[in-house]
Amino acid sequence: FLRRAGATALALPLPAPPARAWAPLTGTRALSLAHTHTGERLATTYAVDHRYLPPALGTLDHFLRDHYNGAVGRIDPRLFDLLHELHARLRSQAPFDVISGYRSAHTNERLRERGGGGVARRSLHMDGQAIDVRLGDVPLADLRDAAIELRAGGVGYYARERFVHIDTGRVRSW
């Protein structure tokens, strides 16, 4: 209660921590991302101590927009914390390559109709709770294993497509 009540007007309170605490929520948290479809790159500090920074969250929301139609969704900040923790654990020096972030319902249905597998009818991408990524300096299997070890959400391994799906939904892997 006090943590939430003490948040300033310029910062959003953190959501409840995951059942298993895996990272201290102190210090500066930043991400470096490169979008494989738009060619855009972004490096930003998105949180300081117990506060998310709304301008940075808005920038991340836009960066992770549906690259098919430009629709912008609100991304779950816990997803950024997962990425930050993975980057630190894996001691990566590379930005995350983003294959897919937010996905509109229209795009999700179109991808399902097209086939190819891997697109859930009720994808967490549509809720801003999922991202598909890789790190250029970390083997894909190591990224998958580290994400599974966090036990903070879902992890899908797509070796042929060269990405790992990470989400803030229930703990599961495929």
Side-chain angles (χ1 to χ4, degrees):
F1 171 78
L2 292 176
R3 178 174 50 146
R4 291 184 191 276
T8 66
L10 297 175
L12 299 174
L14 292 174
R20 177 176 176 219
W22 40 261
L25 296 175
T26 59
T28 299
R29 296 191 303 285
L31 288 173
S32 182
L33 308 168
H35 203 294
T36 61
H37 294 284
T38 67
E40 296 170 306
R41 298 178 75 79
L42 175 68
T44 189
T45 296
Y46 70 91
V48 177
D49 294 325
H50 296 285
R51 296 172 310 193
Y52 289 115
L53 307 175
L57 294 181
T59 298
L60 284 161
D61 289 346
H62 182 264
F63 183 87
L64 295 171
R65 68 194 177 277
D66 183 327
H67 65 270
Y68 289 97
N69 62 21
V72 176
R74 186 154 187 193
I75 306 297
D76 182 353
R78 294 174 302 163
L79 197 56
F80 304 139
D81 289 337
L82 279 171
L83 294 176
H84 177 78
E85 177 68 13
L86 286 167
H87 203 262
R89 282 185 181 216
L90 294 165
R91 298 182 180 174
S92 175
Q93 299 301 308
F96 278 99
D97 290 331
V98 175
I99 290 81
S100 182
Y102 174 74
R103 192 182 299 151
S104 69
H106 174 76
T107 293
N108 197 73
E109 187 55 33
R110 199 173 90 220
L111 293 173
R112 283 183 51 75
E113 289 170 359
R114 192 183 301 167
V119 179
R121 179 177 310 282
R122 190 64 198 112
S123 172
L124 292 178
H125 285 276
M126 297 187 307
D127 297 326
Q129 291 182 270
I131 192 166
D132 300 333
V133 294
R134 63 178 168 247
L135 285 166
D137 61 351
V138 173
L140 200 59
D142 291 355
L143 175 58
R144 173 204 57 204
D145 293 346
I148 289 171
E149 286 174 15
L150 289 178
R151 297 193 48 75
V155 180
Y157 182 57
Y158 297 88
R160 192 176 77 215
E161 294 86 357
R162 297 184 30 231
F163 70 83
V164 174
H165 165 99
I166 299 167
D167 68 50
T168 58
R170 62 184 172 79
V171 176
R172 68 217 187 283
S173 61
W174 61 95

